[in-house]
Amino acid sequence: MNSHSLTPLNQRLCSSSIPRRQNPNKHTIPYCFGFSSTVTPVRRFAPPSFNASAGGATFVRLQNGGSGLGRLKSTSTDGQFIVGGSLDGSTEPSFLEFITSERVKVVAMLALALALCNADRVVMSVAIVPLSQSRGWGPSFAGFVQSSFLWGYLISPIAGGTLVDRYGGKVVMAWGVALWSLATFLTPWAAESSLLALLAMRMLLGIAEGVALPCMNNMVARWFPQTERSRAVGLAMAGFQLGSAIGLTLSPILMSQAGIFGPFVIFGLSGFLWLLVWVSATSSSPERSPQISKFELRYIQSKSSVPSLSKSQSETRKVVPPFRRLLSKLPTWSLIVANAMHSWGFFVILSWMPIYFKTIFLVDLRQAAWFSAVPWSMMALTGYLAGVLSDMMIERGLSVTVTRKIMQSIGFFGPGLALIGLTMSRSPFIASAWLTVAVGLKAFSHCGFLVNLQEIAPQYSGVLHGLSNTGGTLAAIMGTVGAGFFVELVGSFKGFLLLTAFLYFSAALFYNVYSTGERVNFDEASA
């Protein structure tokens, strides 16, 4: 027999009565249940079924009893037996294999965490209306109270991103969810105690939630190959947007049944339930997962450009992230500008649209929350569709750079034009339609700058996300507080929405000029 010798297990499974067929290209291949010595045998096998194809190749179907993928296919070409169609995992998994894989379980848990993150965040956008009425707060002071979340959010992204790159997303996300759930749960007590205590709880919420997106980016970079990252980010961010819709829709209902602080208690307790599942059922990287199948692990490793967690840990313990070099590159600034505009638009819409519909169209609180919640549901859907489209574009040969710029252009030019349409609306239904278009198209930017963070510096994706998030948080504070002062001075939201549209157009142009989808050298030693 040739050098592709069979393992002892395979020798027992082979039958000497099975005839040999001569491969005209190279050598003799026996029909048998066998793999080359480079392939790890599957633990349990179903009864054999043989199907000979043209050209002398033999296909053997077997049943994988391990977790994860179910049926696998083994093919033989040139004496090599290949699991899943490829020895190195190069064959793309089927849709069924994808949705039942361990990596999709991880991104589903990330989506739930981000849903809780945003639900806890937006409760105050609804509660601020009765709070302002009972305490006599004007629009500018209401904006000040809402922005207290962003004061804390400004502190943690860089430190949190550095911790994520060092210790992995599982641990940092667990601490983040625990702290922001505690802050949400204690908000009723703080609000009844003093204004200072309320501001402190909102700051703690912001500090804890500042690690959420860096954790998501880090884990997606480690768990998903490049051809699947856009849809993975789309799935995770769908949870983020659904959290907005859930928070805005359920909060008025819960407030009417359990008082103004009912939503804070319920959403806070939900975070602790999520934490129990997260700690027991997920891992920071596929190499550390006890549940992942060998085929899925091989597939991720063969496609990934991110080193294993153990390797990156040893590197990051020796050096501080190269902040100066990160900030010296224009692709970094394209991400910072994009994140800043994304956050400006996001928090202006999230914080002020319930008030906008109440003051401009005179709808009550429940209707205002409903009108402003519908767009976030649309954003969850379009975000995933944008991810699938983005991955398809790359798979079909379009460069990563061009793909990211197309997605980012749709995600910024689209909302800018839709906000102009919003200012011309004469009814709440037309206004809600324009807002839905704006927020829905905004989701395309997740497949622009947000995925781009993992591509230009995968080893620094956490800290890079922290840097861009800091710029985004500063912009969000300016937008949230500035909207309140603008309304008091000018007496209308329309001018502020037109300003936001102009900033969308400017940020889109900057990103298109200076961004790249290629790996950027941030290694100071080789610069």
Side-chain angles (χ1 to χ4, degrees):
M1 188 172 290
N2 56 54
S3 60
H4 299 284
S5 59
L6 299 174
T7 62
L9 173 62
N10 295 328
Q11 289 172 344
R12 290 196 299 272
L13 290 169
C14 288
S15 172
S16 59
S17 62
I18 299 175
R20 296 173 180 264
R21 171 172 290 184
Q22 183 68 30
N23 186 330
N25 296 324
K26 288 200 176 180
H27 38 247
T28 300
I29 304 172
Y31 286 117
C32 65
F33 278 94
F35 304 106
S36 67
S37 59
T38 58
V39 180
T40 305
V42 181
R43 287 175 293 184
R44 297 196 300 272
F45 295 89
S49 65
F50 296 94
N51 294 289
S53 71
T58 303
F59 295 86
V60 182
R61 190 173 296 278
L62 54 135
Q63 185 73 27
N64 178 11
S67 64
L69 293 176
R71 292 200 309 176
L72 297 179
K73 183 183 289 183
S74 173
T75 64
S76 168
T77 57
D78 293 338
Q80 287 264 334
F81 284 85
I82 302 169
V83 177
S86 174
L87 184 63
D88 61 359
S90 60
T91 296
E92 299 295 326
S94 67
F95 178 73
L96 179 61
E97 290 169 339
F98 176 75
I99 65 173
T100 58
S101 63
E102 190 68 17
R103 61 192 184 280
V104 168
K105 184 183 82 173
V106 170
V107 82
M109 288 298 297
L110 288 170
L112 286 174
L114 295 181
L116 288 169
C117 174
N118 237 16
D120 291 350
R121 182 183 300 181
V122 304
V123 172
M124 187 58 73
S125 299
V126 179
I128 196 68
V129 176
L131 278 175
S132 298
Q133 292 173 347
S134 63
R135 289 164 169 76
W137 297 342
S140 60
F141 193 79
F144 175 78
V145 172
Q146 292 207 75
S147 71
S148 60
F149 162 84
L150 295 167
W151 308 343
Y153 200 72
L154 182 65
I155 297 172
S156 59
I158 294 178
T162 303
L163 291 173
V164 168
D165 287 338
R166 182 168 182 174
Y167 297 109
K170 178 180 178 178
V171 174
V172 179
M173 182 68 95
W175 278 103
V177 174
L179 288 175
W180 86 54
S181 298
L182 180 64
T184 302
F185 183 77
L186 293 179
T187 295
W189 165 82
E192 294 296 332
S193 298
S194 66
L195 176 62
L196 185 61
L198 175 61
L199 296 178
M201 282 299 106
R202 296 297 294 174
M203 282 188 65
L204 177 59
L205 178 70
I207 292 172
E209 290 195 356
V211 306
L213 291 180
C215 285
M216 181 276 291
N217 240 321
N218 179 277
M219 294 195 72
V220 167
R222 297 189 184 282
W223 274 92
F224 287 84
Q226 188 176 63
T227 54
E228 293 180 354
R229 284 181 194 161
S230 293
R231 76 191 74 175
V233 170
L235 284 169
M237 295 305 292
F240 196 65
Q241 313 315 331
L242 285 175
S244 300
I246 291 169
L248 290 169
T249 304
L250 290 184
S251 292
I253 299 173
L254 294 173
M255 287 165 59
S256 65
Q257 300 296 320
I260 188 173
F261 297 121
F264 294 95
V265 174
I266 292 173
F267 290 146
L269 291 176
S270 299
F272 292 114
L273 292 176
W274 176 93
L275 188 62
L276 294 176
V277 180
W278 177 258
V279 171
S280 61
T282 61
S283 303
S284 283
S285 66
E287 292 83 6
R288 291 189 166 193
S289 174
Q291 292 93 8
I292 192 171
S293 68
K294 293 179 180 178
F295 169 69
E296 185 182 2
L297 178 60
R298 188 182 299 115
Y299 171 75
I300 295 171
Q301 290 175 334
S302 69
K303 295 277 189 175
S304 179
S305 61
V306 182
S308 68
L309 184 64
S310 58
K311 290 180 182 178
S312 65
Q313 277 185 323
S314 62
E315 293 172 359
T316 52
R317 285 192 178 118
K318 296 177 183 178
V319 296
V320 175
F323 291 109
R324 289 182 60 185
R325 184 151 295 277
L326 286 168
L327 292 172
S328 70
K329 306 286 188 179
L330 284 172
T332 300
W333 284 101
S334 74
L335 296 175
I336 293 174
V337 169
N339 201 328
M341 189 58 239
H342 180 78
S343 297
W344 174 291
F346 179 86
F347 281 98
V348 165
I349 293 173
L350 193 67
S351 300
W352 287 103
M353 283 302 101
I355 300 175
Y356 178 83
F357 278 95
K358 185 176 185 300
T359 57
I360 300 298
F361 299 108
L362 304 178
V363 298
D364 63 34
L365 181 59
R366 285 196 187 185
Q367 288 178 317
W370 173 253
F371 277 121
S372 54
V374 170
W376 301 109
S377 301
M378 177 60 69
M379 192 177 189
L381 175 61
T382 57
Y384 178 71
L385 294 178
V388 173
L389 177 62
S390 180
D391 286 341
M392 287 175 58
M393 292 165 66
I394 294 174
E395 289 170 359
R396 294 183 180 182
L398 195 64
S399 73
V400 175
T401 299
V402 173
T403 300
R404 300 299 171 229
K405 290 182 178 182
I406 291 174
M407 294 293 111
Q408 192 65 44
S409 296
I410 297 173
F412 274 8
F413 283 117
L417 292 171
L419 287 180
I420 294 174
L422 175 61
T423 63
M424 302 177 182
S425 301
R426 302 291 181 135
S427 73
F429 296 100
I430 296 176
S432 180
W434 277 116
L435 185 62
T436 300
V437 172
V439 176
L441 293 178
K442 182 179 172 66
F444 279 78
S445 66
H446 297 157
C447 300
F449 84 92
L450 196 56
V451 182
N452 200 196
L453 287 162
Q454 306 164 12
E455 292 162 343
I456 70 168
Q459 74 276 33
Y460 298 119
S461 63
V463 68
L464 189 61
H465 199 146
L467 286 170
S468 64
N469 245 20
T470 300
T473 305
L474 288 171
I477 292 173
M478 293 174 59
T480 305
V481 177
F485 282 102
F486 192 95
V487 171
E488 285 194 348
L489 291 173
V490 180
S492 172
F493 278 99
K494 292 184 178 180
F496 195 79
L497 292 176
L498 292 174
L499 172 63
T500 301
F502 172 76
L503 293 175
Y504 266 127
F505 300 150
S506 302
L509 290 173
F510 190 90
Y511 183 88
N512 276 283
V513 172
Y514 295 114
S515 66
T516 179
E518 305 299 323
R519 184 95 171 248
V520 177
N521 179 22
F522 293 112
D523 184 1
E524 192 135 15
S526 62

